[in-house]
Amino acid sequence: GQNIDQPTEMTATEGAIVQINCTYQTSGFNGLFWYQQHAGEAPTFLSYNVLDGLEEKGRFSSFLSRSKGYSYLLLKELQMKDSASYLCAVRDGITGGGNKLTFGTGTQLKVEL
Amino acid sequence: EAGVTQSPTHLIKTRGQQATLRCSPISGHTSVYWYQQALGLGLQFLLWYDEGEERNRGNFPPRFSGRQFPNYSSELNVNALELEDSALYLCASSLTVGSTDTQYFGPGTRLTVL
């Protein structure tokens, strides 16, 4: 199975940088996803890592270390609209698991003035 | 391009009743996934369908079932509803089995069991 841990809540200031960490223990691994979810809305895809290293996408970057079972999402130049829950999800790589995603409980980010 | 759509937006049922939730994937996507998001909990994987077949199911009782139609839309049925089934039910779709394609989520159906 999979176990995914991320902080429950974080607070940051508008214009600042914030790093949201995610650690996982898995019996199979075929990629790690980050999603953003505003209250009452569907999760929206932010980033995907399957190889070690940093993936950059505008104000958002995501890092993966498979040997450490660790990822982080980096948000730069924070805006008020970035206040949301950020979900870390691992794709199962075992036979029959296919594209099943296991999600962490999410990190609620609050951006303040 | 239209995203994943789900209906109804909200559904209110009483204990013991059955609920049917519907999902239409993004055009061209053949895989459909169902997740349950209960208040304060992370998304829990329910079911995965591809090409009309159930490929995997999560740790949920058999009263959670579903199917996928030839046009790749899907239905989730929950029988003998219990209070703890109250949750947001999210459907996602992706392009192909075994690929690295991302799952894209619909807006969800909020099920309330009274």
Side-chain angles (χ1 to χ4, degrees):
Chain A
Q2 318 274 36
N3 186 41
I4 299 172
D5 291 309
Q6 46 181 135
T8 304
E9 294 179 337
M10 296 183 72
T11 302
T13 305
E14 189 179 35
I17 299 172
V18 70
Q19 178 175 311
I20 302 174
N21 296 325
C22 171
T23 58
Y24 61 91
Q25 297 86 42
T26 67
S27 55
F29 179 84
N30 189 21
L32 187 144
F33 293 79
W34 284 95
Y35 285 84
Q36 180 193 61
Q37 186 177 26
H38 285 99
E41 298 182 9
T44 56
F45 169 71
L46 289 177
S47 69
Y48 167 70
N49 296 70
V50 67
L51 300 176
D52 290 352
L54 189 68
E55 294 283 340
E56 297 189 77
K57 251 181 156 181
R59 294 191 299 116
F60 295 81
S61 304
S62 57
F63 172 83
L64 175 67
S65 169
R66 288 171 297 169
S67 62
K68 295 182 179 177
Y70 168 68
S71 172
Y72 67 72
L73 179 70
L74 195 70
L75 292 77
K76 303 175 188 174
E77 302 170 14
L78 280 172
Q79 302 174 10
M80 298 298 288
K81 67 178 182 179
D82 297 330
S83 294
S85 182
Y86 291 85
L87 311 177
C88 173
V90 172
R91 178 159 57 202
D92 207 319
I94 62 175
T95 301
N99 287 338
K100 167 189 165 186
L101 292 178
T102 300
F103 282 84
T105 52
T107 298
Q108 187 65 45
L109 174 67
K110 183 178 179 183
V111 180
E112 298 178 329
L113 290 171
Chain B
E1 179 185 292
V4 177
T5 59
Q6 292 186 244
S7 63
T9 306
H10 293 89
L11 189 57
I12 300 175
K13 295 284 186 178
T14 56
R15 283 177 60 190
Q17 285 189 313
Q18 180 201 36
T20 298
L21 289 64
R22 296 181 176 83
C23 171
S24 290
I26 291 171
S27 178
H29 286 191
T30 62
S31 277
V32 170
Y33 313 81
W34 288 95
Y35 293 86
Q36 181 195 66
Q37 189 175 32
L39 197 63
L41 299 178
L43 276 77
Q44 302 290 319
F45 169 74
L46 267 165
L47 290 159
W48 166 34
Y49 291 95
D50 183 75
E51 298 286 356
E53 300 285 331
E54 181 181 302
R55 302 293 184 179
N56 199 0
R57 67 179 292 128
N59 189 25
F60 282 84
R63 57 192 186 82
F64 287 83
S65 65
R67 53 182 172 165
Q68 186 178 33
F69 299 98
N71 66 353
Y72 303 112
S73 67
S74 177
E75 202 172 80
L76 174 69
N77 295 292
V78 188
N79 294 320
L81 284 165
E82 300 178 3
L83 296 178
E84 51 265 33
D85 296 334
S86 294
L88 181 67
Y89 289 83
L90 291 162
C91 171
S93 73
S94 74
L95 197 55
T96 55
V97 175
S99 73
T100 58
D101 283 296
T102 301
Q103 294 181 27
Y104 295 93
F105 285 84
T109 293
R110 173 76 61 186
L111 173 64
T112 302
V113 182
L114 302 174

